[in-house]
Amino acid sequence: MPAKTLEAWLEHLEHAHSKPIDLSLERAAEVAARLRLRSAGKTLTVAGTNGKGSTVATVNALLRAQGVAVGVFTSPHIVSFNERIVINDELASDAAIVDAFEAIEQARGEISLTYYEFSALAAAFIFQQAQVDVWILEVGLGGRLDAVNIFDADVAVVTSIDLDHQDYLGDTRELIAIEKAGVARAGAPCVVAESNLPKTLLPELNRIGAVTVRVNTDYELRFDPFRWSGKWQSSEGHINLTNLPRSALLPSNLAAGVQALLCLGYGLPGNASAVLTSLQVPGRREIRDLQNRTVLVDVAHNPAAIKALAEFVEARFAPKTCRAVFSAMIDKDTGTMFALAADTISHWYLPNQAHNPRVAKALELKAVLENVAGQGAKCYDTVAHACEAMWQESQQDDLLLIIGSFTTVAAFEVWARQTEN
């Protein structure tokens, strides 16, 4: 195959497989075997409906604060594909990713791979080349049949479990829980980050033979609107952190990250409290100042995430006027999302994203909003136009939200960078 730029590779991979989502382990596992991909250190795999990104970021930050070499694979990206593959807090270079793609292409032979499978294998290839100490792998969809699950987790984490991707994972929390639990391994710790568990989760983890480590059973978490504290188990006894200031990230995900770190066999760095307090993850309750406005950016794109976001806004920012640019994929339960956010957000700006047929049309979203919440909205051709309108109509004390799909946040980021320059 002739040499390609990363952009050309990604365009090729968009159409290289017959289906964009094709859950299976066989194809990726065979190619990984041909490339002899495996971690020489520890592997952490994180599954869940919401909270994966902040849990991953917590473990990475605590490891990096101790000088541990870490490779992090997440998806999807916001602006640049390189965001998916990070080594020691640096994005993988175009050249490194292209080299990985070329190796995978040569090894796969007759095996067809999805865009995501190429991405996961490329991350593993780059992590192996860099000889990092810890691989942190975020599940893209589900868990049991997600491509990252071809690598055995020394420690697994299951964050929240709620309804999302029902076409692939099942239409109940109980069915989805079985898919998420699939990242756990016999004899290895699985950190369970939330107490509101589907009734199938613990039995499935027991069937697998995982060593379950549960919040408020095996480690403790206490929080109020302003502070939080935790008590965790480690090989050297219990570790306590108390009276930590609340950040934008959920304490349940931060605490799960701490417990996962300890289960991996690492201790807490001396500055752990400062790390946990200052941690911010792009696109996850990310609070910014832009053009003299307070902006909250969050890839909340399912009812559970929107509910949590609304509660956070009410606790942190009430009684500010809240305006939101919102867009989501056509398969999302936007009616429930609007109903949950209606008491918090009073002004809606709904953009089209004509380049992506999977995104719901603005007029359709407006009709749903009017039906379930009795609220009006303004529609725009693009995310950029919606952002411009929101800024022009807002007052200095308003809270401006950019919420919904990753594509919505990505388009906002492009607009924001152009605006700032």
Side-chain angles (χ1 to χ4, degrees), residues 53-334:
S54 51
T55 303
V56 165
T58 299
V59 182
N60 176 64
L62 293 171
L63 287 169
R64 293 296 303 137
Q66 303 175 72
V68 179
V70 185
V72 177
F73 173 67
T74 59
S75 66
H77 59 274
I78 295 177
V79 176
S80 164
F81 179 89
N82 309 61
E83 299 166 25
R84 297 182 180 222
I85 305 173
V86 177
I87 295 179
N88 298 336
D89 298 325
E90 297 288 337
L91 304 188
S93 67
D94 285 10
I97 297 171
V98 168
D99 286 347
F101 283 165
E102 289 176 346
I104 295 163
E105 179 70 15
Q106 184 174 358
R108 73 175 182 85
E110 75 290 353
I111 299 173
S112 178
L113 297 171
T114 66
Y115 180 107
Y116 178 76
E117 288 168 338
F118 252 95
S119 304
L121 289 167
F125 184 90
I126 291 169
F127 296 163
Q128 182 170 279
Q129 293 286 311
Q131 298 181 327
V132 297
D133 301 313
V134 178
W135 294 16
I136 302 180
L137 307 176
E138 179 191 27
V139 168
L141 198 159
R144 183 176 62 90
L145 296 177
D146 189 90
V148 302
N149 204 33
I150 65 174
F151 302 108
D152 290 330
D154 295 289
V155 177
V157 178
V158 177
T159 61
S160 67
I161 297 175
D162 221 298
L163 298 178
D164 203 3
H165 303 293
Q166 291 97 310
D167 289 348
Y168 298 97
L169 305 179
D171 58 4
T172 67
R173 292 178 71 235
E174 285 69 30
L175 289 173
I176 292 172
I178 292 171
E179 297 299 318
K180 307 291 186 186
V183 299
R185 294 295 188 270
C190 179
V191 178
V192 178
E194 293 209 355
S195 54
N196 179 25
L197 302 179
K199 62 184 180 181
T200 55
L201 181 62
L202 295 180
E204 180 64 11
L205 291 174
N206 289 335
R207 186 195 67 78
I208 291 169
V211 180
T212 306
V213 185
R214 297 174 58 190
V215 64
N216 290 333
T217 298
D218 303 296
Y219 69 99
E220 298 178 13
L221 171 64
R222 298 287 181 266
F223 59 90
D224 60 35
F226 305 104
R227 320 291 291 186
W228 70 282
S229 302
K231 181 179 180 180
W232 297 270
Q233 59 169 274
S234 74
S235 59
E236 299 179 357
H238 287 102
I239 294 177
N240 292 275
L241 291 175
T242 60
N243 209 29
L244 297 171
R246 285 283 299 266
S247 68
L249 302 178
L250 287 175
S252 58
N253 300 323
L254 298 173
V258 171
Q259 186 60 68
L261 173 88
L262 298 173
C263 288
L264 285 168
Y266 292 90
L268 285 176
N271 64 341
S273 296
V275 170
L276 294 169
T277 301
S278 62
L279 187 63
Q280 185 161 278
V281 184
R284 277 77 166 184
R285 296 193 187 181
E286 183 184 3
I287 301 171
R288 291 157 58 172
D289 182 75
L290 180 64
Q291 298 182 42
N292 206 27
R293 298 288 188 271
T294 301
V295 185
L296 177 56
V297 184
D298 196 328
V299 289
H301 56 265
N302 56 53
I306 289 290
K307 181 177 184 292
L309 178 65
E311 292 171 350
F312 170 72
V313 170
E314 291 291 343
R316 176 71 69 91
F317 294 102
K320 284 181 179 289
T321 296
C322 296
R323 303 172 183 268
V325 171
F326 171 81
S327 185
M329 299 299 176
I330 56 177
D331 62 339
K332 299 302 178 182
D333 184 1
T334 52

Side-chain angles (χ1 to χ4, degrees), residues 370-390:
E370 291 174 345
N371 182 53
V372 302
Q375 288 182 303
K378 296 181 179 180
C379 298
Y380 300 88
D381 290 339
T382 65
V383 172
H385 289 157
C387 291
E388 289 167 5
M390 183 169 69

